[in-house]
Amino acid sequence: MTMVGRESESAAVLALTSGVLILTGEPGAGKSTLLGLAADRHQGRVLRMTGSESEANLTFAGLYQLLRPVLAETARLPVRQRSALLGAMGLGDDFGGGGSGQTEPGDAHLGEAEPDGARLGQTEPGDAHLGQAEPDGADARRGGPPDRLLLGVALLTLLSDLARQSPVLVVADDLQWIDAGSLELLAFAARRIGDEPLAVLAGARDRAGEGARGGATAPFSGFPLLTLDPLDATAAGLLLDRQPYPPTGSRRLRILDQAAGNPLALIELARANGACGADSPDSADGELLPPTDRLMRVFAADLEALPEATRQALLLVAADDRAVAGRVEALAPAEAAGLLRITGGGRDGWRARFRHPLIRSAIYHSAPLAARRQAHRDLATLLGAEPDRRAWHLAAAAEGPDEEIAAALEESAARARERGGYTAATTALERAAELSPGRRDRARRLVAAAGAAVSTGQPHWVRRLAAQAAALTDDPELSAEASLRVGQVLTLSTEHDTAMSLLLRAAEDPKLRRVALSSAAVAGFYAGDEEYRRAVRARAHDDPWTLAVTDPTAHRSQRVAAIPALVERADGDPARLISLGAMAWLLDETALAVRIFDDALHRWRLGGSLPIGLGCSAGWSYLDHGRWAQARTAAVNTNSAGAGLPHLDAAARSLEAAALALTGRTEEARSAGSAALSLVDPHRSRAVAVRARWALGMAAVADGDHVGAYEQFRLLFTADGDPVHYACSYPGVAELAAAAVRTGHGAEAAAIVERTAERLADDPSPRMRILIHRARALLEPSRAEPHFTAALAEPAGGQWPFERAQILLDHAEWLRRRHRITEARHQLNTALETFRRLGAPSWIDRTQAELRAAGVESAPADPDALTSLSPQQQHIIRLAAQGLSNREIGERLFLSPRTVGSHLYRSFPKLGVTARSQLRDLIEASGRS
């Protein structure tokens, strides 16, 4: 039976068998009832997670609640995933016995076998970007917080394994009160559900009702939403008629008016009306208040009929819904009245589930403040073995500043950070500051809270904490650190000017100078502002990383030569290695950058360390190196973080647009590129804007729209021919020339090319030498051959396979027009092989047309079978050819093993193979590495 007025919504939740659906609406709209309906009707396993205000700050409390019924199943996970998952929930590796990864039964048809020995190096770019941690920055080694990506993969793998046994429905209620760590992991897994019978159905209040945690459900942004609007007049009337004591007359009209279509309000007000007597002239009509107050009063009025012992027990479970033990009998009258339901028991303990959060709020707030504080003190006394929960109850009971409680919260925050619970750590430190008797301790804890909040990616939170600290102290060290923290988080926003100002201010503190200037260099890179770039360089002294980021063209060879020593000094620290990978990429040492990123990301996952500052530089390195599937995966993963930072979202979209354009999905590329530009001010976020325009230009090239291509590439340079961005503009110079010769703008493009060559004359990178040669060859056909020859002879040219194939194609066109057909055919065949390997359909078509013009009359072969696969499938095939198992591939690409197996199953017929053992030969034959 469906709910009154919710027929279409009921059908939607009952039809959900795979994927994600989020129900939103005001309290009382019917979200929990719909979730219960779906759970009751589900024909498989149901796992539940319900948010609780008392546990919102306890890291991974929701994860434990979700997985408690299936903890034994973790034994099937790979050892590292199982260890991380159990450790996050505070359980030892020996929980439930051993447990190691097992070969998946479903992989047998693909010839799957789990390899022995160490796992291969991580090649997935994940969420890394131009890191703002300097090469000699803070330690990020084993023993740090658990790697959220590893935890996410572990959760995804576990849920996927369960779905193999029977369909799985994950029901998550009250997202706004689920702890941030659990919420992020569930969102991670939810974004990667393939076609398996696995569904996530969640309920969340409208953001206006989320209170202080208004951004708490951000990880679930972007999922399909189903908003429960107020019931219309007909449905509201029908719902009232189904109540035990349907109101009539003026009372009915008043209830309909004040309930405003809220189902819970309708039911509760009708119940209140019936309780006071339908025929009584002293009914509660006159006492009805605006919705929130009225409902609070209704729920509080229900308490009056309960025994005193029940009301006392209710206050305790309202303060902590796990405080049920020893109070089951006292709570029985409340359960009989429908206020709550007692669940659990056994080794996991009892738990109170209130019919609606407003009931819990009404119970709690109906008690006097003194009684509420006493309840928290009583609970704290019982929780000596649980220091985190005890600390929070002590804090709630505090009547004023208390250093002992503040210290306990600070210790709780430290434990939360060790487990990667940055939101919980920030909240604990903020409350500790409120309870600190001394102004300096208060300011110190607020600054520490701001530091933890940087990792949550919430600029407003960091700013507020830093401002509160600044108002409490004139201590220059604390003020400098507060500026540093705000500057760091704003680096990932669009407020680069403000970030730069704050970071340069923080750099005045000798203890913070290095990390502040490192972060300022990143902000300057994103902004592309000359004044700020010079300001950072003037303070950088001899720091090679900061100097390279602020000007990768000056003393380039010297900076490149320094990288091996810097890598050695990094001593395997993944955060520092990621920064060095970004440095190598900026210096056009693309192959070296890819090797460093591969190593850094592999170590990152093994060590459980999360570098501060995430984004896309690894993805751009993979794109330049011809690993387009990995580049797009990097964009998707960065975009799926859900941080609410426009700059970060724009960076991800520009990278995705580039990968889409090169692989021929030009409509999607234009959509992504335009979205990137809409998220930032192109004049203040020049790095992202230039990259987005490059992607839009390549989409136009792929479509044969030379006018559109020229318009986009011309915007990479100013009217005077200077680069819009000191590093990102230059790689577009050859494409500008190619579009110019086809649109009659050769003279203008030639001036920009020569201006670029002059600027880079002192120490150009091999890549820029190649691109300038290509541009000159296209712009000066009569003197083109020496330029083509020089470009193709560059020893380092293999680092950029797509650009090299373009030069081969351009040279072949030039040769054919001079009737040097035999030479042209050789160049064309070589270019075609590369374009097919990369999966560049527009360039494949253009090369095949040139071959036909060169007299190759045979029907062109179909594109390499690999190019018929999606970028993700190509990446999976390549990893499978290396001998990786489905689990290992899934861990790298953030997919479930089931999804990996599905992709392999679909790809094998297209490739003409029947076993994994054939993939290596197929890859080698195609020239794909």
Side-chain angles (χ1 to χ4, degrees):
M1 181 177 179
T2 58
M3 299 165 57
V4 175
R6 299 288 188 220
E7 289 78 10
S8 61
E9 293 87 346
S10 298
V13 300
L14 292 174
L16 184 69
T17 57
S18 182
V20 184
L21 181 63
I22 310 298
L23 306 182
T24 66
E26 64 180 355
K31 303 181 295 296
S32 297
T33 305
L34 281 170
L35 296 179
L37 174 68
D40 291 342
R41 300 280 189 89
H42 188 65
Q43 299 300 310
R45 188 193 297 266
V46 178
L47 300 177
R48 297 175 183 267
M49 177 193 293
T50 301
S52 165
E53 289 187 62
S54 66
E55 296 187 358
N57 296 311
L58 297 180
T59 305
F60 299 127
L63 181 67
Y64 177 74
Q65 184 187 156
L66 179 73
L67 300 184
R68 184 175 56 193
V70 293
L71 284 174
E73 300 289 342
T74 61
R76 296 172 53 85
L77 293 175
V79 173
R80 192 158 58 91
Q81 293 183 20
R82 180 177 187 270
S83 179
L85 202 59
L86 293 179
M89 294 183 288
L91 302 174
D93 285 344
D94 58 349
F95 176 85
S100 60
Q102 300 178 7
T103 302
E104 303 155 279
D107 293 336
H109 70 287
L110 297 175
E112 166 94 341
E114 293 280 82
D116 294 326
R119 302 167 94 77
L120 297 179
Q122 170 65 38
T123 61
E124 184 55 38
D127 294 332
H129 83 348
L130 182 58
Q132 65 185 46
E134 76 285 85
D136 296 319
D139 212 16
R141 314 191 186 278
R142 294 177 185 271
D147 180 0
R148 293 303 177 89
L149 296 178
L150 178 61
L151 288 174
V153 171
L155 177 60
L156 176 63
T157 303
L158 177 59
L159 293 177
S160 181
D161 284 349
L162 293 172
R164 286 189 173 194
Q165 302 169 26
S166 66
V168 173
L169 175 66
V170 173
V171 176
D173 202 1
D174 284 330
L175 288 184
Q176 71 280 355
W177 296 123
I178 292 175
D179 66 278
S182 300
L183 198 65
E184 290 167 6
L185 294 188
L186 182 60
F188 180 101
R191 290 186 187 279
R192 289 157 178 83
I193 293 175
D195 56 0
E196 57 261 68
L198 171 61
V200 174
L201 181 62
R205 293 186 189 181
D206 286 338
R207 295 212 168 197
E210 290 181 10
R213 288 169 53 88
T217 58
F220 271 81
S221 61
F223 284 114
L225 291 178
L226 179 59
T227 301
L228 305 187
D229 295 319
L231 300 180
D232 60 29
T234 301
L238 181 58
L239 182 58
L240 284 181
D241 290 338
R242 292 190 177 182
Q243 301 312 303
Y245 302 100
T248 59
S250 61
R251 296 173 187 164
R252 182 184 183 91
L253 295 177
R254 182 178 289 272
I255 290 175
L256 286 171
D257 179 59
Q258 295 195 8
N262 183 288
L264 185 62
L266 288 163
I267 293 170
E268 295 300 332
L269 290 173
R271 176 182 296 177
N273 176 74
C276 70
D279 298 324
S280 172
D282 298 320
S283 69
D285 286 345
E287 296 296 321
L288 298 178
L289 302 172
T292 301
D293 292 341
R294 179 199 62 218
L295 288 173
M296 292 286 288
R297 180 165 299 191
V298 168
F299 296 143
D302 289 342
L303 302 178
E304 296 299 325
L306 297 174
E308 176 63 22
T310 300
R311 292 201 299 271
Q312 292 179 357
L314 278 174
L315 177 57
L316 288 172
V317 295
D320 189 330
D321 58 14
R322 291 170 62 184
V324 177
R327 301 178 180 86
V328 175
E329 292 185 5
L331 290 169
E335 187 169 23
L339 293 176
L340 51 69
R341 183 164 55 93
I342 305 300
T343 63
R347 64 186 297 270
D348 296 319
W350 300 97
R351 195 169 189 134
R353 302 293 185 192
F354 289 90
R355 191 174 73 245
H356 189 276
L358 285 179
I359 297 176
R360 179 178 186 169
S361 297
I363 292 169
Y364 183 79
H365 291 290
S366 67
L369 177 59
R372 298 200 300 268
R373 285 176 172 163
Q374 185 59 50
H376 286 294
R377 281 192 288 270
D378 292 343
L379 290 167
T381 302
L382 299 173
L383 292 171
E386 298 186 56
D388 292 332
R389 290 174 65 199
R390 181 176 184 273
W392 278 106
H393 283 300
L394 287 173
E399 299 183 20
D402 188 313
E403 176 58 28
E404 183 178 350
I405 298 175
L409 281 173
E410 191 168 14
E411 292 173 2
S412 178
R415 288 189 290 271
R417 290 195 70 162
E418 289 173 0
R419 298 171 61 187
Y422 293 108
T423 299
T426 306
T427 305
L429 285 166
E430 186 174 12
R431 179 59 176 147
E434 293 173 356
L435 294 173
S436 300
R439 290 173 62 89
R440 194 183 190 287
D441 280 338
R442 197 178 311 162
R444 175 181 61 80
R445 285 165 174 151
L446 284 169
V447 171
V454 169
S455 297
T456 71
Q458 298 187 42
H460 297 300
W461 201 1
V462 178
R463 270 178 156 161
R464 178 170 59 78
L465 293 167
Q468 290 174 349
L472 288 169
T473 181
D474 294 328
D475 186 318
E477 291 186 5
L478 288 177
S479 297
E481 186 176 352
S483 294
L484 171 67
R485 299 314 181 189
V486 177
Q488 284 179 322
V489 75
L490 291 184
T491 295
L492 302 179
S493 74
T494 55
E495 299 182 56
H496 304 309
D497 292 347
T498 304
M500 183 68 71
S501 177
L502 291 168
L503 292 168
L504 291 180
R505 184 190 309 167
E508 295 174 3
D509 186 324
K511 296 179 181 178
L512 302 176
R513 185 183 66 82
R514 193 176 186 83
V515 65
L517 287 178
S518 175
S519 299
V522 177
F525 176 86
Y526 290 150
D529 183 272
E530 286 296 310
E531 179 182 349
Y532 284 132
R533 186 162 69 101
R534 288 193 295 269
V536 176
R537 283 186 64 79
R539 294 167 171 81
H541 302 301
D542 59 350
D543 178 53
W545 190 87
T546 301
L547 291 171
V549 173
T550 52
D551 191 352
T553 63
H555 307 291
R556 195 198 74 87
S557 298
Q558 179 182 343
R559 308 286 180 240
V560 170
I563 293 178
L566 292 173
V567 171
E568 183 71 20
R569 285 167 55 191
D571 194 25
D573 180 343
R576 293 162 64 186
L577 288 174
I578 284 173
S579 295
L580 293 173
M583 176 180 174
W585 168 63
L586 285 172
L587 294 171
D588 276 338
E589 293 295 314
T590 305
L592 175 60
V594 167
R595 289 197 298 272
I596 293 174
F597 278 128
D598 284 349
D599 182 36
L601 295 167
H602 175 60
R603 291 176 183 272
W604 173 9
R605 292 189 172 85
L606 287 178
S609 305
L610 182 65
I612 295 173
L614 306 174
C616 295
S617 65
W620 282 108
S621 296
Y622 290 123
L623 188 90
D624 293 342
H625 204 45
R627 288 158 66 164
W628 295 349
Q630 284 177 271
R632 189 165 178 224
T633 300
V636 171
N637 286 333
T638 301
N639 227 6
S640 70
L645 296 168
H647 172 82
L648 199 58
D649 290 342
R653 289 176 183 269
S654 64
L655 174 58
E656 183 179 21
L660 289 167
L662 294 174
T663 53
R665 300 168 65 174
T666 55
E667 195 64 38
E668 296 173 73
R670 279 189 289 274
S671 177
S674 298
L677 290 173
S678 72
L679 290 169
V680 297
D681 180 347
H683 302 293
R684 293 182 178 274
S685 296
R686 294 178 178 88
V688 169
V690 164
R691 285 296 187 176
R693 295 199 185 284
W694 186 88
L696 291 171
M698 294 308 295
V701 171
D703 284 343
D705 178 10
H706 303 301
V707 172
Y710 181 77
E711 290 173 350
Q712 294 296 336
F713 293 127
R714 183 63 184 85
L715 290 172
L716 305 187
F717 299 87
T718 67
D720 296 332
D722 293 329
V724 169
H725 188 276
Y726 65 88
C728 296
S729 290
Y730 289 135
V733 69
E735 295 298 342
L736 172 67
V741 298
R742 290 173 169 83
T743 56
H745 294 91
E748 185 178 19
I752 293 175
V753 170
E754 295 311 313
R755 195 177 184 93
T756 298
E758 182 179 349
R759 281 176 171 267
L760 303 180
D762 290 343
D763 192 6
S765 70
R767 183 187 190 187
M768 287 312 304
R769 287 198 297 268
I770 291 170
L771 294 178
I772 289 172
H773 277 307
R774 181 192 176 205
R776 285 171 167 166
L778 294 171
L779 292 165
E780 304 177 82
S782 62
R783 292 185 287 180
E785 189 147 29
H787 292 301
F788 280 128
T789 301
L792 293 171
E794 177 61 56
Q799 296 181 70
W800 307 282
F802 177 71
E803 291 173 359
R804 182 176 178 82
Q806 284 182 296
I807 297 170
L808 288 167
L809 175 56
D810 291 337
H811 191 198
E813 290 177 338
W814 185 87
L815 290 169
R816 184 182 63 78
R817 284 164 176 72
R818 281 150 186 79
H819 307 294
R820 295 161 63 177
I821 303 300
T822 302
E823 296 172 81
R825 288 174 181 169
H826 174 73
Q827 304 279 57
L828 289 169
N829 283 324
T830 304
L832 182 60
E833 180 182 351
T834 300
F835 289 138
R836 282 177 169 170
R837 175 167 56 86
L838 294 174
S842 298
W843 287 268
I844 292 172
D845 292 343
R846 181 178 156 196
T847 306
Q848 289 177 333
E850 277 297 315
L851 278 169
R852 289 191 293 272
V856 179
E857 298 297 341
S858 59
D862 291 334
D864 188 293
L866 283 168
T867 66
S868 67
L869 307 179
S870 69
Q872 186 177 70
Q873 289 172 332
Q874 293 178 43
H875 199 180
I876 289 172
I877 289 295
R878 184 168 59 82
L879 294 176
Q882 295 175 12
L884 273 68
S885 69
N886 285 10
R887 288 186 183 275
E888 291 173 313
I889 295 171
E891 184 171 325
R892 294 191 179 199
L893 303 186
F894 317 131
L895 301 171
S896 71
R898 180 185 178 89
T899 299
V900 172
S902 177
H903 280 304
L904 290 170
Y905 180 79
R906 294 171 182 170
S907 300
F908 274 30
K910 297 179 182 179
L911 300 176
V913 299
T914 58
R916 296 171 86 102
S917 58
Q918 299 173 270
L919 293 179
R920 185 180 297 275
D921 292 340
L922 175 73
I923 296 295
E924 291 177 354
S926 69
R928 194 179 185 85
S929 59

